[in-house]
Amino acid sequence: MAASAHLKTLSPSDAQSHTPSPRSKRHRHREARDLSLSTPEVVVSDSAWCCLASRQQTPSCSPSPLEPPVPVVAGDSSAMEASPCSNPPYPSSYSKFNSALNAGLLNPMSPPLHDKTRSSPTLFDMMANEQEYNPRAATFPLPPPSSGQILPPGRATGAGVSSQDRQVLLQERVAEILGCCSPGNLFNDSETGDVRLTLSSKDGFSVSFTVHRHILVAHSRFFAAKLSDRWSKQQRSLPHLVEISDCDDVEVYMETLRLMYCKDLRRRLMKEDVNKVLGILKVSAAILFDAGVLSCLEYLEAAPWAEDEEEKIASLLSQLHLESSGAGEVLKRVSLEVVPSSMEEANGNGPSTGSGEEILVRLLQVVLEGKDEKARREMKGLVSKMLQENSNASHGHGQAGAGDLSKESLYSACHGCLCLLRQHFMRAAASDLFEAAQIARQADNLHWILDILIDRQIADEFLWTWAAEADLAEAHHRVPAIHRFEISRVTARLFVGIGKGQILVSKEARSLLLRTWLEPFYEDFGWMRRACKGLDRHLVEDGLSNTILTLPLAMQQEILLAWFDRYLNSGDDCPNIQRGFEVWWRRAFWRRNGDPGRPPQLRIAAAGENSS
């Protein structure tokens, strides 16, 4: 016995108040048996739905045998929601659920059974056997200009979304495109259209709508060749049936064809984002829609881009080869190689932009000579970041980048700052304090360039140069501490670099650095600790300790014993390198005395030395 499907809607309050009355055991058994023979019961609420499985599904109502089945076009949500036996209008959420239920899409694991006795096919049947319900049409394969597919924003492409769910979302968007035509727009006008166009995607989805042959021919050279007058005469019946198969993206193809009906394409594209315009550009190039290509390029040339969109734009334009259409103007935003600078100079179109290194050298010099200290600090951070990115890119490709600074350029700027520092420092040592403030400025510039050299692992030559500045170190005590302490930051940075292994130089260079600059460093340490914002005292002290410990043991003893006496008389105005002192003591006496607690590997090494 066949029974019709029963749909029932319950509000949350009704569902809570509905409680079964006590029944006898025999009566409950009869109800359970009857329930197993009935059709599924669907309960729809505002937040969730549930569907009880049944053994048999039959349509809720079937049309009269005299009435032909109503054709349904894939993607037409209004056709799916209409039913001759429907109840008063339900909320949109219920309509979508009912449409998906009829299409058999809500339970991907158990698709609906196909009943051969049904007089009206479901949307699921029509999509699976579409060729049986549509007359034979002319099929135009449309080769895409490239193998890549550009998806519009909002497309669900995650691995966790099933293909059926994606088709439901695509049907909704397609139905929205077909239903949002403004008054007077002839797109999808079945009364005046003479071509019934079907777009079929590679995954089997298709949609049909009505267009006009004269509009397609006037705007697209592809359609002008396919829909020629000779072809039109061979198609005796109206509307002409045309199918375009293997579309990359049906939604974008529809958007592109709809643009042919717009009078102002640029204004229409202003409502879209860059990803959607890229998709329309790809389709326009494939169907030779010249006005669409030009409008998309004008949009891309004027619209702002996000960083992640630049690569997509450059890649697509290089694939489509649209240089004659104005793609070069778009690519000028991201490439200096579109029009060589030498050609621009020869044509008188403007000065040469110069190489990347020349621009960076100029930026470096402007920062070093800047007058506003706050702006200089900000631009130093910006230029340092740019140089680090260029350096990483160069190392990644195994060669020096065209937009990177060479070692010679950095050392040229470094020596310029050192010469100015020496000049102002000697004037201050001669009691000419008129330009004493320039000492701190040039020392800060030198410290900044030293950071760049250390980051690129090319600071060894600078360490030799700084260690050899004996005249500068000898005049140190004749300059007031308030003007001179900044130069000790350079010495401290070298100590940290050696202590971390960022600067590898010979023993002679390390000992020369300590002989020349350790005493001035001690004198300025208190000022640095109080006046230098952001100074990491412990980092500097560890760097000094490790630098001393890289020297021979006799030199360690001489330096650390002198520090011990100085620290007892200066306190916090002297760096605390107690850790280095303890390491030296253990090296010099504790292990030498043969303490039983010394590490085993040292005893093995000593035994090996005795045996040799």
Side-chain angles (χ1 to χ4, degrees), residues 217-503:
V217 170
H219 290 84
S220 168
R221 286 180 283 142
F222 170 80
F223 283 111
K226 297 296 183 180
L227 306 180
S228 61
D229 293 336
R230 180 179 179 183
W231 176 89
S232 179
K233 293 177 181 179
Q234 294 175 355
Q235 305 293 323
R236 299 178 180 178
S237 61
L238 290 178
H240 305 315
L241 302 180
V242 176
E243 179 181 359
I244 297 180
S245 58
D246 294 336
C247 298
D248 284 345
D249 195 308
V250 170
E251 181 185 355
V252 176
Y253 272 83
M254 293 181 64
E255 292 279 6
T256 306
L257 294 178
R258 189 170 64 167
L259 282 178
M260 296 182 182
Y261 289 80
C262 297
K263 295 181 180 180
D264 191 346
L265 275 66
R266 295 178 58 186
R267 185 175 181 181
R268 176 65 183 82
L269 289 176
M270 289 176 63
K271 302 177 182 179
E272 308 294 348
D273 57 13
V274 171
N275 286 329
K276 176 62 75 66
V277 172
L278 287 176
I280 294 174
L281 174 61
K282 183 179 178 182
V283 177
S284 299
I287 65 177
L288 304 177
F289 177 23
D290 296 332
V293 170
L294 181 61
S295 298
C296 289
L297 291 177
E298 290 178 350
Y299 171 94
L300 294 174
E301 196 279 330
W305 304 342
E307 284 192 45
D308 58 342
E309 295 170 343
E310 293 181 1
E311 186 65 27
K312 297 179 183 178
I313 295 172
S315 175
L316 180 62
L317 293 182
S318 63
Q319 293 174 15
L320 299 182
H321 303 290
L322 300 173
E323 290 78 8
S324 59
S325 301
E329 294 297 324
V330 180
L331 292 177
K332 282 182 180 180
R333 291 174 55 171
V334 293
S335 176
L336 292 173
E337 300 176 358
V338 177
V339 179
S341 57
S342 58
M343 293 179 58
E344 289 187 352
E345 285 185 326
N347 296 332
N349 294 332
S352 172
T353 55
S355 65
E357 183 176 4
E358 292 176 356
I359 295 175
L360 284 174
V361 170
R362 181 180 177 185
L363 293 176
L364 192 71
Q365 196 64 32
V366 170
V367 171
L368 294 176
E369 297 175 357
K371 301 187 181 307
D372 188 278
E373 291 301 322
K374 181 180 178 181
R376 270 170 27 94
R377 287 194 300 269
E378 293 178 358
M379 292 302 103
K380 281 180 179 178
L382 175 61
V383 174
S384 297
K385 180 181 178 182
M386 294 165 53
L387 292 175
Q388 187 174 16
E389 290 177 351
N390 288 348
S391 178
N392 294 338
S394 301
H395 292 161
H397 290 86
Q399 58 185 0
D404 196 13
L405 274 178
S406 64
K407 178 180 178 181
E408 291 75 16
S409 298
L410 285 171
Y411 269 98
S412 175
C414 182
H415 288 306
C417 294
L418 184 57
C419 290
L420 291 175
L421 174 64
R422 188 185 299 112
Q423 177 183 348
H424 295 303
F425 199 85
M426 290 304 180
R427 289 180 180 178
S431 300
D432 184 4
L433 301 179
F434 181 73
E435 296 181 354
Q438 293 297 321
I439 297 175
R441 178 188 179 87
Q442 297 305 326
D444 183 68
N445 288 339
L446 206 59
H447 187 275
W448 176 51
I449 298 180
L450 176 58
D451 276 335
I452 298 174
L453 295 175
I454 292 176
D455 182 68
R456 298 183 174 221
Q457 302 176 351
I458 53 175
D460 50 341
E461 294 182 17
F462 176 81
L463 188 144
W464 272 107
T465 302
W466 186 252
E469 288 290 334
D471 294 341
L472 201 62
E474 191 276 333
H476 177 268
H477 67 280
R478 298 200 300 269
V479 179
I482 192 173
H483 300 301
R484 75 186 186 209
F485 74 89
E486 286 284 354
I487 67 171
S488 291
R489 288 183 57 209
V490 179
T491 305
R493 184 65 183 94
L494 290 172
F495 288 155
V496 173
I498 296 174
K500 285 187 172 184
Q502 297 170 335
I503 306 175

Side-chain angles (χ1 to χ4, degrees), residues 486-535:
E486 286 284 354
I487 67 171
S488 291
R489 288 183 57 209
V490 179
T491 305
R493 184 65 183 94
L494 290 172
F495 288 155
V496 173
I498 296 174
K500 285 187 172 184
Q502 297 170 335
I503 306 175
L504 300 179
V505 291
S506 64
K507 173 186 64 178
E508 289 75 17
R510 300 193 302 273
S511 60
L512 179 61
L513 176 67
L514 289 168
R515 284 198 305 269
T516 303
W517 287 107
L518 184 57
E519 191 66 25
F521 176 78
Y522 283 157
E523 294 177 0
D524 292 340
F525 185 79
W527 277 88
M528 281 194 301
R529 184 175 59 83
R530 289 186 293 268
C532 293
K533 296 181 180 180
L535 179 70

